[in-house]
Amino acid sequence: MIYPRIIAHRCGGAVAPENTLAGLRLAGRLGCRGVEFDAMLAADGVPVLIHDETLERTTSGRGRVAGMSSAQLARFDAGIPHHAAFAGEPLPTLDEALRLCAELGLWANVEIKPPAGQEAETGYVVARHAAMAKGNLLLSSFSPQALRAAADEAEQLPRALLVEVIPADWRERMATTGAGALHASARALTADAFEAVRDAGFPLACYTVNRRQDAERLFAMGVSAVFTDRLDLWLPAEM
Ligand code: G3P
Ligand code: MG
């Protein structure tokens, strides 16, 4: 699996409203080649881009994402909580985001974000939509159940298991989910754990790395990619 070195966390991280099309456009303009975003199901089963199970932090809406239809969610403003300059930016569907990534030539990591109890359903539906998209993409999830469902739906799509700390049984977990790569928190990464993953031939990508010196240390160790909110720290040629 070939990773872009620098991946825009939640579409644009600090430079744009998270999980929005504006974030994808800005990431592309800054020279970023890879983006990550979070996909969750609306009440009508349409996958949309959002990180939290509730709307308050990142949109003008209130309440649970899973309690509203995609048409209701589309009316909320996902730009204003970041900055008034982004007012009117909609909460996008996964299909809209994947279409824009294909247009802009962005490699996309779709993180499957299921609320508790909806793991398998979210995995199936997100994988079904991703399988219909054009372009280069990878599915990931903290939920082994969601990842397993994604594998059953679209075996051909590359998948990564997300963890905070690399667990002692990481090999078994990767085998059960059919994952070909591991995404782990940079903060909790130890050299021993990293070497075991690397020696087994699996790429490792680390989140969320917002200082250049931390990214350089990780690349020197052999980490494949970093997720960052700070796209402004790199020149296009370095990404
Ligand atoms: O996929 C990497 C990273 O996005 C995982 O954490 O909480 O930002 O989705 P979170
Ligand atoms: Mg994420």
Side-chain angles (χ1 to χ4, degrees):
M1 201 176 308
I2 309 289
Y3 279 81
R5 277 159 53 87
I6 307 294
I7 303 169
H9 182 230
R10 302 184 193 173
C11 291
V15 297
E18 69 179 53
N19 287 311
T20 62
L21 302 182
L24 295 178
R25 290 194 191 95
L26 193 52
R29 281 208 296 279
L30 290 171
C32 198
R33 294 180 295 121
V35 293
E36 181 262 1
F37 42 79
D38 307 294
M40 199 179 290
L41 300 187
D44 53 357
V46 174
V48 295
L49 259 57
I50 192 157
H51 179 275
D52 300 0
E53 290 181 32
T54 50
L55 292 157
E56 281 79 353
R57 183 179 62 84
T58 56
T59 79
S60 58
R62 298 173 81 80
R64 284 177 56 76
V65 176
M68 289 184 211
S69 70
S70 51
Q72 285 175 305
L73 293 172
R75 288 192 213 113
F76 297 130
D77 193 309
I80 282 198
H82 180 78
H83 195 280
F86 291 95
E89 184 63 31
L91 191 166
T93 63
L94 174 62
D95 290 350
E96 289 169 332
L98 289 173
R99 236 181 344 258
L100 184 57
C101 287
E103 256 172 61
L104 298 174
L106 292 169
W107 173 98
N109 174 190
V110 182
E111 184 190 335
I112 308 166
K113 246 339 175 212
Q118 276 190 268
E119 289 85 357
E121 189 194 350
T122 311
Y124 284 126
V125 176
V126 169
R128 194 174 313 139
H129 283 254
M132 289 184 300
K134 295 199 179 79
N136 226 340
L137 57 88
L138 163 80
L139 301 176
S140 67
S141 190
F142 284 106
S143 161
Q145 215 190 329
L147 216 50
R148 189 59 251 164
D152 292 341
E153 179 66 33
E155 180 66 39
Q156 75 280 12
L157 292 179
R159 292 174 306 280
L161 178 65
L162 258 164
V163 294
E164 194 175 340
V165 180
I166 297 177
D169 63 348
W170 63 270
R171 277 171 198 273
E172 291 77 4
R173 291 198 204 192
M174 287 184 69
T176 354
T177 53
L182 198 59
H183 294 177
S185 166
R187 238 183 337 179
L189 186 68
T190 64
D192 283 354
F194 169 71
E195 279 160 23
V197 174
R198 183 199 56 199
D199 293 349
F202 293 109
L204 181 87
C206 286
Y207 64 89
T208 306
V209 182
N210 289 334
R211 294 194 312 176
R212 244 192 106 108
Q213 64 264 39
D214 294 337
E216 275 156 17
R217 182 180 53 81
L218 292 164
F219 289 136
M221 274 170 82
V223 164
S224 298
V226 296
F227 298 90
T228 186
D229 296 312
R230 293 293 310 276
L231 299 180
D232 53 313
L233 296 180
W234 286 274
L235 295 169
E238 296 171 318
M239 298 206 261

